[in-house]
Amino acid sequence: VVITGIFFFFFDRNELAKILYDSGADIDMVVSQKTNYLISGKDSGWKKLEKAKEFGIMIFNEDEILKILGIKK
């Protein structure tokens, strides 16, 4: 999992990364062919988005990841 952008529900990306890590996810900083998911917040890095699309990686926004994690706003 790679996380990019600004999130409103989470204090910072580290908070989201910890939740995902505690759920069993591997957190990476760079999108590669081994990346399974990209979580994209506001003002996400365009290079990460471009690479994710190039590699066919699933991209989730903040609302989608909150729903997946079962977190209510």
Side-chain angles (χ1 to χ4, degrees), residues 1-65:
V1 176
V2 174
I3 303 168
T4 185
I6 300 167
F7 297 88
F8 298 100
F9 181 84
F10 302 99
F11 178 71
D12 61 18
R13 287 187 294 223
N14 291 333
E15 180 182 5
L16 174 55
K18 181 174 179 356
I19 291 168
L20 294 169
Y21 180 80
D22 290 346
S23 298
D26 291 324
I27 308 301
D28 295 309
M29 300 297 292
V30 179
V31 174
S32 72
Q33 290 178 331
K34 294 182 180 182
T35 303
N36 294 314
Y37 307 106
L38 176 70
I39 301 173
S40 176
K42 183 179 183 220
D43 297 330
S44 294
W46 65 270
K47 286 185 181 181
K48 288 182 180 177
L49 288 169
E50 188 175 274
K51 281 286 186 191
K53 290 176 185 174
E54 178 183 329
F55 295 140
I57 296 167
M58 292 184 69
I59 301 171
F60 296 98
N61 65 33
E62 184 171 20
D63 289 335
E64 291 168 327
I65 202 66

